[in-house]
Coordinates of all heavy atoms in Angstrom, one line a residue:
L141 N 0.8 -1.2 0.0 CA 0.0 0.0 0.0 C 0.9 1.3 0.0 O 1.9 1.3 0.7 CB -0.9 0.1 1.3 CG -1.9 -1.0 1.5 CD1 -2.5 -0.8 2.9 CD2 -3.0 -1.0 0.4
T142 N 0.4 2.3 -0.7 CA 1.1 3.5 -0.6 C 0.7 4.2 0.7 O -0.2 3.8 1.4 CB 0.7 4.5 -1.8 OG1 -0.7 4.8 -1.6 CG2 0.9 3.8 -3.1
R143 N 1.4 5.3 1.0 CA 1.1 6.0 2.3 C -0.3 6.5 2.2 O -1.0 6.5 3.2 CB 2.1 7.1 2.5 CG 1.7 8.0 3.7 CD 2.7 9.0 4.1 NE 3.6 8.3 5.0 CZ 4.7 8.8 5.5 NH1 5.1 10.0 5.2 NH2 5.4 8.2 6.4
E144 N -0.7 7.1 1.1 CA -2.0 7.7 1.0 C -3.1 6.6 1.1 O -4.2 6.9 1.7 CB -2.2 8.4 -0.3 CG -1.4 9.7 -0.4 CD -1.6 10.6 0.7 OE1 -2.8 10.9 1.0 OE2 -0.7 11.2 1.3
Q145 N -2.9 5.4 0.7 CA -3.8 4.3 0.8 C -3.8 3.8 2.3 O -4.8 3.4 2.8 CB -3.5 3.1 -0.1 CG -3.6 3.4 -1.6 CD -3.0 2.4 -2.5 OE1 -2.0 1.8 -2.1 NE2 -3.6 2.1 -3.6
R146 N -2.6 3.8 2.9 CA -2.4 3.2 4.2 C -2.9 4.2 5.3 O -3.4 3.7 6.3 CB -1.0 2.9 4.4 CG -0.6 2.1 5.6 CD 0.9 1.8 5.6 NE 1.7 3.0 5.7 CZ 2.6 3.4 4.8 NH1 2.9 2.6 3.8 NH2 3.3 4.5 4.9
L147 N -2.8 5.4 5.1 CA -3.1 6.4 6.1 C -4.5 6.3 6.8 O -4.6 6.2 8.0 CB -3.0 7.8 5.5 CG -2.9 9.0 6.5 CD1 -1.6 8.9 7.3 CD2 -2.9 10.3 5.7
P148 N -5.6 6.2 6.0 CA -6.9 6.0 6.7 C -7.0 4.7 7.5 O -7.7 4.7 8.5 CB -7.9 6.1 5.5 CG -7.2 5.9 4.3 CD -5.7 6.3 4.6
V149 N -6.4 3.7 7.0 CA -6.4 2.4 7.7 C -5.7 2.5 9.0 O -6.2 2.1 10.1 CB -5.8 1.3 6.8 CG1 -5.8 0.0 7.6 CG2 -6.6 1.2 5.5
V150 N -4.5 3.1 9.0 CA -3.7 3.3 10.2 C -4.4 4.1 11.2 O -4.5 3.8 12.4 CB -2.3 3.9 9.9 CG1 -1.6 4.3 11.1 CG2 -1.5 2.9 9.1
V151 N -5.0 5.2 10.8 CA -5.7 6.1 11.7 C -6.9 5.4 12.3 O -7.2 5.5 13.5 CB -6.2 7.4 10.9 CG1 -7.2 8.2 11.7 CG2 -5.0 8.2 10.6
A152 N -7.7 4.7 11.4 CA -8.8 3.9 12.0 C -8.4 2.9 13.0 O -9.1 2.8 14.1 CB -9.6 3.3 10.8
L153 N -7.3 2.2 12.8 CA -6.9 1.2 13.7 C -6.4 1.9 15.0 O -6.7 1.4 16.1 CB -5.8 0.3 13.2 CG -6.2 -0.6 12.0 CD1 -5.0 -1.2 11.4 CD2 -7.1 -1.7 12.6
R154 N -5.7 3.0 14.9 CA -5.3 3.7 16.1 C -6.4 4.3 16.9 O -6.5 4.2 18.1 CB -4.3 4.8 15.7 CG -3.6 5.5 16.9 CD -2.7 4.5 17.7 NE -2.1 5.3 18.8 CZ -1.3 4.7 19.7 NH1 -1.1 3.4 19.6 NH2 -0.8 5.4 20.6
E155 N -7.4 4.8 16.2 CA -8.6 5.3 16.9 C -9.4 4.2 17.6 O -10.1 4.5 18.6 CB -9.5 6.1 15.9 CG -8.9 7.4 15.4 CD -9.7 8.1 14.4 OE1 -10.6 7.5 13.8 OE2 -9.5 9.3 14.1
E156 N -9.3 3.0 17.1 CA -9.9 1.8 17.7 C -9.1 1.4 19.0 O -9.6 0.5 19.7 CB -10.0 0.7 16.8 CG -11.1 0.9 15.7 CD -11.1 -0.2 14.7 OE1 -10.4 -1.3 14.9 OE2 -11.8 -0.1 13.6
G157 N -7.9 1.9 19.1 CA -7.1 1.6 20.3 C -6.0 0.6 20.1 O -5.5 0.1 21.1
H158 N -5.6 0.4 18.9 CA -4.6 -0.6 18.6 C -3.2 0.1 18.8 O -3.1 1.3 18.5 CB -4.7 -1.2 17.2 CG -5.9 -2.0 17.0 ND1 -6.0 -3.3 17.4 CD2 -7.1 -1.6 16.4 CE1 -7.2 -3.7 17.1 NE2 -7.9 -2.7 16.5
S159 N -2.2 -0.7 19.2 CA -0.9 -0.1 19.4 C -0.2 0.1 18.0 O -0.6 -0.5 17.0 CB 0.0 -1.1 20.2 OG 0.2 -2.3 19.5
Y160 N 0.8 0.9 18.0 CA 1.6 1.1 16.8 C 2.2 -0.2 16.3 O 2.3 -0.5 15.1 CB 2.7 2.2 16.9 CG 2.1 3.5 17.1 CD1 2.4 4.2 18.3 CD2 1.4 4.2 16.2 CE1 1.9 5.5 18.5 CE2 0.9 5.4 16.3 CZ 1.1 6.1 17.5 OH 0.7 7.4 17.7
R161 N 2.7 -1.0 17.2 CA 3.3 -2.3 16.9 C 2.3 -3.2 16.3 O 2.6 -3.9 15.2 CB 3.9 -2.9 18.2 CG 4.7 -4.2 17.8 CD 5.3 -4.8 19.1 NE 6.3 -3.9 19.6 CZ 6.8 -4.1 20.8 NH1 6.5 -5.1 21.6 NH2 7.7 -3.2 21.3
A162 N 1.1 -3.3 16.8 CA 0.0 -4.1 16.2 C -0.4 -3.6 14.9 O -0.6 -4.4 13.9 CB -1.2 -4.1 17.2
I163 N -0.5 -2.3 14.7 CA -0.9 -1.7 13.4 C 0.2 -2.1 12.4 O -0.1 -2.5 11.3 CB -1.1 -0.2 13.5 CG1 -2.3 0.1 14.4 CG2 -1.2 0.4 12.1 CD1 -2.4 1.6 14.8
G164 N 1.5 -1.9 12.7 CA 2.6 -2.2 11.8 C 2.6 -3.6 11.4 O 2.7 -3.9 10.2
G165 N 2.4 -4.5 12.4 CA 2.3 -5.9 12.1 C 1.2 -6.3 11.2 O 1.4 -7.1 10.2
A166 N 0.0 -5.7 11.4 CA -1.1 -6.0 10.5 C -0.9 -5.5 9.1 O -1.4 -6.2 8.1 CB -2.4 -5.4 11.1
L167 N -0.3 -4.4 8.9 CA -0.1 -3.8 7.6 C 1.3 -4.1 7.0 O 1.6 -3.6 5.9 CB -0.3 -2.3 7.7 CG -1.7 -1.9 8.2 CD1 -1.8 -0.4 8.2 CD2 -2.8 -2.4 7.2
K168 N 2.1 -4.9 7.7 CA 3.4 -5.2 7.2 C 4.3 -4.0 7.0 O 5.0 -3.9 6.0 CB 3.3 -6.0 5.9 CG 2.4 -7.2 5.9 CD 3.0 -8.3 6.8 CE 2.1 -9.6 6.7 NZ 1.6 -10.1 7.9
V169 N 4.2 -3.1 7.9 CA 5.1 -1.9 8.0 C 5.7 -1.8 9.4 O 5.2 -2.5 10.3 CB 4.4 -0.6 7.6 CG1 3.9 -0.6 6.2 CG2 3.3 -0.3 8.6
S170 N 6.7 -1.0 9.6 CA 7.3 -0.9 10.9 C 6.4 -0.1 11.8 O 5.5 0.7 11.3 CB 8.7 -0.2 10.8 OG 8.5 1.2 10.5
D171 N 6.6 -0.3 13.1 CA 5.8 0.5 14.0 C 6.1 2.0 13.9 O 5.2 2.9 14.1 CB 5.9 0.1 15.5 CG 7.4 0.1 16.0 OD1 8.3 -0.2 15.2 OD2 7.6 0.3 17.2
W172 N 7.3 2.3 13.5 CA 7.7 3.7 13.3 C 6.9 4.3 12.0 O 6.6 5.5 12.0 CB 9.2 3.9 13.1 CG 9.8 3.7 14.5 CD1 10.5 2.6 14.9 CD2 9.8 4.6 15.6 NE1 10.9 2.8 16.2 CE2 10.5 4.0 16.6 CE3 9.3 5.9 15.7 CZ2 10.6 4.6 17.9 CZ3 9.4 6.5 17.0 CH2 10.1 5.9 18.0
T173 N 6.7 3.5 11.0 CA 6.0 4.0 9.9 C 4.5 4.2 10.3 O 3.9 5.3 9.9 CB 6.0 2.9 8.7 OG1 7.4 2.7 8.3 CG2 5.2 3.3 7.6
A174 N 4.0 3.4 11.1 CA 2.6 3.6 11.6 C 2.6 4.9 12.4 O 1.6 5.7 12.3 CB 2.2 2.4 12.5
R175 N 3.6 5.2 13.2 CA 3.6 6.4 14.0 C 3.7 7.6 13.1 O 3.0 8.6 13.3 CB 4.9 6.5 14.9 CG 4.8 5.6 16.1 CD 6.2 5.7 16.8 NE 6.3 4.6 17.8 CZ 5.9 4.7 19.0 NH1 5.3 5.7 19.5 NH2 6.0 3.6 19.8
E176 N 4.5 7.6 12.1 CA 4.6 8.7 11.1 C 3.3 8.9 10.4 O 2.9 10.1 10.2 CB 5.7 8.4 10.1 CG 7.1 8.6 10.7 CD 8.2 8.5 9.6 OE1 7.8 8.2 8.4 OE2 9.3 8.7 9.9
D177 N 2.6 7.8 10.1 CA 1.3 8.0 9.4 C 0.3 8.7 10.3 O -0.4 9.6 9.9 CB 0.8 6.6 9.0 CG 1.5 6.0 7.8 OD1 2.3 6.7 7.2 OD2 1.3 4.8 7.5
V178 N 0.3 8.3 11.6 CA -0.6 8.9 12.5 C -0.2 10.4 12.7 O -1.1 11.3 12.8 CB -0.7 8.2 13.9 CG1 -1.4 9.0 14.9 CG2 -1.3 6.8 13.7
S179 N 1.1 10.7 12.8 CA 1.6 12.0 13.0 C 1.1 12.9 11.8 O 0.7 14.0 11.9 CB 3.1 12.1 13.1 OG 3.5 11.6 14.3
M180 N 1.2 12.3 10.6 CA 0.8 13.1 9.4 C -0.7 13.3 9.5 O -1.2 14.4 9.1 CB 1.1 12.3 8.1 CG 0.7 13.0 6.8 SD 1.3 12.3 5.4 CE 3.0 12.7 5.5
A181 N -1.5 12.4 9.9 CA -2.9 12.6 10.0 C -3.3 13.7 11.1 O -4.2 14.5 10.9 CB -3.6 11.3 10.4
Q182 N -2.5 13.7 12.1 CA -2.6 14.7 13.2 C -2.4 16.1 12.6 O -3.1 17.1 12.9 CB -1.7 14.5 14.4 CG -2.2 13.3 15.2 CD -1.3 13.1 16.4 OE1 -0.1 12.8 16.2 NE2 -1.8 13.1 17.6
V183 N -1.3 16.2 11.8 CA -1.0 17.5 11.1 C -2.1 17.9 10.2 O -2.5 19.1 10.2 CB 0.3 17.4 10.3 CG1 0.5 18.6 9.4 CG2 1.5 17.2 11.3
R184 N -2.7 17.0 9.5 CA -3.9 17.3 8.6 C -5.2 17.5 9.4 O -6.2 17.9 8.8 CB -4.1 16.1 7.6 CG -2.9 16.0 6.7 CD -3.2 14.8 5.7 NE -2.1 14.7 4.8 CZ -2.0 13.7 3.9 NH1 -3.0 12.8 3.9 NH2 -1.0 13.6 3.1
G185 N -5.1 17.1 10.7 CA -6.3 17.3 11.5 C -7.4 16.2 11.3 O -8.6 16.5 11.5
T186 N -7.0 15.0 10.8 CA -7.9 14.0 10.5 C -7.9 12.8 11.5 O -8.5 11.8 11.1 CB -7.6 13.4 9.1 OG1 -6.3 12.9 9.0 CG2 -7.8 14.5 8.0
S187 N -7.4 13.0 12.6 CA -7.4 11.9 13.6 C -7.8 12.4 15.0 O -7.5 13.5 15.4 CB -6.0 11.2 13.6 OG -5.1 12.0 14.3
H188 N -8.4 11.5 15.7 CA -8.8 11.7 17.1 C -8.3 10.5 17.9 O -9.0 9.4 17.8 CB -10.3 11.9 17.2 CG -10.8 13.0 16.3 ND1 -10.6 14.3 16.6 CD2 -11.4 12.9 15.1 CE1 -11.2 15.0 15.6 NE2 -11.6 14.2 14.7
L189 N -7.2 10.6 18.5 CA -6.6 9.5 19.2 C -7.2 9.2 20.5 O -7.6 10.0 21.3 CB -5.1 9.7 19.3 CG -4.4 10.0 18.0 CD1 -2.9 10.2 18.2 CD2 -4.6 8.9 17.0
P190 N -7.2 7.9 20.8 CA -7.8 7.4 22.1 C -6.8 7.7 23.3 O -5.6 7.9 23.1 CB -7.9 5.9 22.0 CG -6.8 5.6 21.0 CD -6.7 6.7 20.1
E191 N -7.3 7.7 24.5 CA -6.4 7.9 25.7 C -5.7 6.6 26.0 O -4.6 6.7 26.6 CB -7.2 8.4 26.9 CG -7.8 9.8 26.7 CD -8.5 10.2 28.0 OE1 -8.2 9.7 29.1 OE2 -9.3 11.1 27.9
R192 N -6.3 5.5 25.7 CA -5.6 4.2 26.0 C -5.7 3.3 24.7 O -6.5 3.5 23.9 CB -6.4 3.5 27.1 CG -6.3 4.4 28.4 CD -6.8 3.6 29.6 NE -5.9 2.5 30.1 CZ -4.8 2.7 30.8 NH1 -4.3 3.8 31.1 NH2 -4.1 1.6 31.1
V193 N -4.7 2.4 24.7 CA -4.6 1.5 23.6 C -4.4 0.1 24.1 O -4.0 -0.1 25.2 CB -3.4 1.8 22.6 CG1 -3.7 3.2 21.9 CG2 -2.1 1.8 23.3
A194 N -4.7 -0.9 23.3 CA -4.5 -2.3 23.7 C -3.2 -2.8 23.1 O -2.9 -2.7 21.9 CB -5.6 -3.2 23.1
G195 N -2.3 -3.3 23.9 CA -1.0 -3.8 23.5 C -1.2 -5.2 22.8 O -2.3 -5.8 23.0
Q196 N -0.2 -5.7 22.2 CA -0.3 -7.1 21.6 C -0.5 -8.1 22.7 O -1.0 -9.2 22.4 CB 0.9 -7.4 20.8 CG 0.9 -6.6 19.5 CD 2.1 -7.0 18.6 OE1 3.2 -7.1 19.0 NE2 1.8 -7.1 17.3
D197 N -0.2 -7.8 23.9 CA -0.4 -8.7 25.0 C -1.8 -8.7 25.6 O -2.2 -9.4 26.5 CB 0.6 -8.5 26.1 CG 0.5 -7.1 26.7 OD1 -0.4 -6.3 26.3 OD2 1.3 -6.7 27.5
G198 N -2.6 -7.8 25.0 CA -4.0 -7.7 25.4 C -4.3 -6.8 26.5 O -5.4 -6.5 26.9
K199 N -3.2 -6.2 27.1 CA -3.3 -5.3 28.2 C -3.6 -3.9 27.7 O -3.3 -3.6 26.6 CB -2.1 -5.3 29.1 CG -1.8 -6.6 29.8 CD -0.5 -6.5 30.6 CE -0.2 -7.9 31.2 NZ 1.1 -7.8 32.0
S200 N -4.2 -3.1 28.6 CA -4.5 -1.7 28.2 C -3.4 -0.8 28.7 O -2.9 -0.9 29.8 CB -5.8 -1.3 28.9 OG -6.1 0.1 28.6
Y201 N -2.9 0.1 27.8 CA -1.8 1.1 28.2 C -2.2 2.5 27.8 O -3.0 2.7 26.9 CB -0.6 0.7 27.4 CG 0.0 -0.7 27.7 CD1 -0.3 -1.8 27.0 CD2 0.9 -0.8 28.8 CE1 0.2 -3.0 27.3 CE2 1.4 -2.0 29.1 CZ 1.1 -3.1 28.4 OH 1.6 -4.4 28.7
P202 N -1.6 3.5 28.4 CA -1.9 4.9 28.0 C -1.4 5.0 26.5 O -0.5 4.4 26.1 CB -1.0 5.7 28.9 CG -0.7 4.9 30.1 CD -0.8 3.4 29.6
A203 N -2.2 5.8 25.7 CA -1.8 5.9 24.3 C -0.5 6.5 24.1 O 0.2 6.3 23.1 CB -2.9 6.7 23.6
S204 N -0.1 7.4 25.0 CA 1.3 8.0 24.9 C 1.8 8.2 26.3 O 1.1 8.3 27.3 CB 1.2 9.3 24.1 OG 0.4 10.2 24.8
R205 N 3.2 8.2 26.3 CA 3.8 8.5 27.6 C 4.0 10.0 27.7 O 4.0 10.7 26.7 CB 5.2 7.8 27.6 CG 5.2 6.3 27.5 CD 6.6 5.8 27.5 NE 6.5 4.3 27.3 CZ 7.5 3.6 27.1 NH1 8.7 4.1 26.9 NH2 7.4 2.3 26.9
A206 N 4.3 10.5 28.9 CA 4.6 11.9 29.1 C 5.9 12.1 28.5 O 6.9 11.3 28.6 CB 4.7 12.2 30.6
K207 N 6.0 13.2 27.7 CA 7.2 13.5 26.9 C 8.1 14.5 27.7 O 7.6 15.4 28.3 CB 6.8 14.1 25.6 CG 6.1 13.1 24.8 CD 5.7 13.6 23.4 CE 4.9 12.6 22.7 NZ 4.3 13.1 21.5
T208 N 9.4 14.3 27.5 CA 10.4 15.2 28.0 C 10.4 16.5 27.1 O 9.9 16.4 26.0 CB 11.8 14.6 28.1 OG1 12.2 14.4 26.7 CG2 11.8 13.3 28.9
D209 N 11.0 17.6 27.6 CA 11.1 18.8 26.8 C 11.8 18.5 25.5 O 11.5 19.0 24.4 CB 11.7 19.9 27.5 CG 10.9 20.5 28.6 OD1 9.6 20.3 28.5 OD2 11.4 21.1 29.6
R210 N 12.9 17.7 25.5 CA 13.7 17.4 24.4 C 12.8 16.6 23.3 O 12.9 16.8 22.2 CB 14.9 16.6 24.7 CG 15.8 16.2 23.6 CD 17.2 16.0 24.0 NE 18.0 15.5 23.0 CZ 18.7 16.3 22.1 NH1 18.6 17.6 22.2 NH2 19.5 15.8 21.2
Q211 N 12.0 15.6 23.8 CA 11.2 14.9 22.9 C 10.1 15.8 22.3 O 9.9 15.6 21.1 CB 10.5 13.7 23.7 CG 11.4 12.6 24.1 CD 10.7 11.6 25.0 OE1 9.9 12.0 25.9 NE2 10.9 10.3 24.8
K212 N 9.6 16.7 23.0 CA 8.6 17.6 22.4 C 9.3 18.5 21.3 O 8.7 18.7 20.3 CB 8.1 18.5 23.5 CG 7.1 17.8 24.5 CD 6.7 18.8 25.6 CE 5.9 18.0 26.7 NZ 5.6 18.9 27.8
Q213 N 10.5 18.9 21.6 CA 11.2 19.7 20.6 C 11.5 18.9 19.3 O 11.3 19.4 18.2 CB 12.6 20.2 21.1 CG 12.4 21.3 22.2 CD 13.8 21.6 22.8 OE1 14.8 20.8 22.7 NE2 13.8 22.7 23.6
R214 N 11.9 17.7 19.5 CA 12.1 16.8 18.3 C 10.8 16.6 17.5 O 10.8 16.6 16.3 CB 12.7 15.5 18.7 CG 14.2 15.5 19.1 CD 14.7 14.2 19.5 NE 16.1 14.2 19.7 CZ 16.8 13.2 20.2 NH1 16.2 12.0 20.4 NH2 18.1 13.3 20.4
E215 N 9.7 16.3 18.3 CA 8.5 16.0 17.6 C 8.0 17.3 16.8 O 7.5 17.2 15.7 CB 7.4 15.6 18.6 CG 6.1 15.2 18.0 CD 5.1 14.7 19.1 OE1 5.2 13.5 19.3 OE2 4.4 15.5 19.6
N216 N 8.1 18.4 17.4 CA 7.7 19.7 16.8 C 8.5 19.9 15.5 O 8.0 20.3 14.5 CB 7.8 20.9 17.7 CG 6.7 20.8 18.8 OD1 5.7 20.2 18.6 ND2 7.0 21.5 19.9
A217 N 9.8 19.6 15.6 CA 10.7 19.8 14.4 C 10.3 18.8 13.3 O 10.2 19.1 12.1 CB 12.1 19.6 14.8
H218 N 10.0 17.6 13.7 CA 9.5 16.5 12.8 C 8.2 16.9 12.1 O 8.1 16.8 10.9 CB 9.4 15.2 13.5 CG 9.0 14.1 12.6 ND1 9.8 13.6 11.6 CD2 7.8 13.4 12.5 CE1 9.1 12.6 10.9 NE2 7.9 12.5 11.5
L219 N 7.3 17.3 12.9 CA 6.0 17.7 12.4 C 6.1 18.9 11.5 O 5.4 19.0 10.4 CB 5.0 18.1 13.5 CG 4.5 16.9 14.3 CD1 3.6 17.3 15.5 CD2 3.8 15.8 13.5
G220 N 7.0 19.8 11.8 CA 7.3 21.0 10.9 C 7.8 20.5 9.5 O 7.4 21.0 8.5
R221 N 8.7 19.5 9.5 CA 9.2 19.0 8.3 C 8.1 18.3 7.5 O 8.0 18.4 6.3 CB 10.4 18.0 8.5 CG 11.6 18.7 9.0 CD 12.8 17.8 9.0 NE 12.7 16.6 9.8 CZ 12.9 16.5 11.1 NH1 13.3 17.5 11.7 NH2 12.8 15.4 11.7
I222 N 7.2 17.6 8.2 CA 6.1 16.9 7.5 C 5.2 18.0 6.8 O 4.8 17.8 5.7 CB 5.3 16.0 8.5 CG1 6.1 14.8 8.9 CG2 4.0 15.6 7.8 CD1 5.4 14.0 9.9
K223 N 4.9 19.0 7.6 CA 4.0 20.1 7.0 C 4.6 20.7 5.8 O 3.9 21.0 4.9 CB 3.8 21.2 8.1 CG 2.9 20.8 9.2 CD 2.7 22.0 10.1 CE 1.8 21.7 11.3 NZ 1.7 22.8 12.2
T224 N 5.9 20.8 5.7 CA 6.5 21.5 4.6 C 6.9 20.4 3.5 O 7.5 20.8 2.5 CB 7.8 22.3 5.0 OG1 8.7 21.4 5.6 CG2 7.4 23.4 5.9
G225 N 6.7 19.2 3.8 CA 7.0 18.1 2.8 C 8.4 17.7 2.7 O 8.9 17.1 1.7
I226 N 9.2 18.1 3.7 CA 10.7 17.8 3.7 C 11.0 16.4 4.2 O 11.9 15.7 3.8 CB 11.4 18.8 4.6 CG1 11.3 20.2 3.9 CG2 12.9 18.4 4.7 CD1 11.9 21.3 4.7
A227 N 10.1 15.8 5.1 CA 10.4 14.5 5.7 C 10.3 13.4 4.6 O 9.6 13.5 3.7 CB 9.3 14.2 6.7
S228 N 11.2 12.5 4.8 CA 11.3 11.4 3.8 C 10.2 10.4 4.1 O 9.7 10.2 5.2 CB 12.6 10.7 3.9 OG 12.8 10.1 5.2
S229 N 9.7 9.7 3.1 CA 8.7 8.7 3.2 C 9.2 7.4 3.7 O 10.2 6.9 3.4 CB 7.9 8.5 1.9 OG 7.4 9.7 1.5

């Protein structure tokens, strides 16, 4: 699947509460690719993420961990590159 084909599927699975690892495994992409797809959807304003997700072990986990200031800076820089089309696919 191309990113454009995969994006709505990744977003739908994440909104249902699936982990990035589970999404990646189901779509035969890396969990990081699934993360990037969700990030792109967030930039476009097309995703509403859950507070909790189900891990592959069946347990419930917070959808995201509290981020350090450095992680926030990196994420903002990455999202800025996605917005301008600089990030690699």
Side-chain angles (χ1 to χ4, degrees):
L141 296 173
T142 67
R143 173 172 271 175
E144 292 304 315
Q145 294 169 325
R146 193 177 60 239
L147 196 66
V149 178
V150 170
V151 169
L153 291 171
R154 187 64 177 176
E155 287 175 348
E156 289 175 8
H158 296 281
S159 68
Y160 292 118
R161 187 179 295 171
I163 294 168
L167 299 178
K168 306 292 188 235
V169 297
S170 72
D171 56 327
W172 288 104
T173 298
R175 285 176 197 271
E176 284 186 356
D177 289 349
V178 170
S179 291
M180 181 170 286
Q182 287 178 302
V183 168
R184 294 179 180 176
T186 58
S187 70
H188 305 283
L189 301 180
E191 290 186 24
R192 299 190 69 79
V193 296
Q196 287 185 315
D197 58 5
K199 294 179 183 177
S200 177
Y201 296 95
S204 62
R205 295 180 185 167
K207 295 179 182 170
T208 65
D209 288 337
R210 181 158 173 87
Q211 288 171 320
K212 289 176 189 176
Q213 289 172 346
R214 285 182 175 174
E215 185 176 272
N216 288 336
H218 178 71
L219 291 175
R221 288 191 303 274
I222 289 173
K223 283 182 183 178
T224 59
I226 297 173
S228 61
S229 299

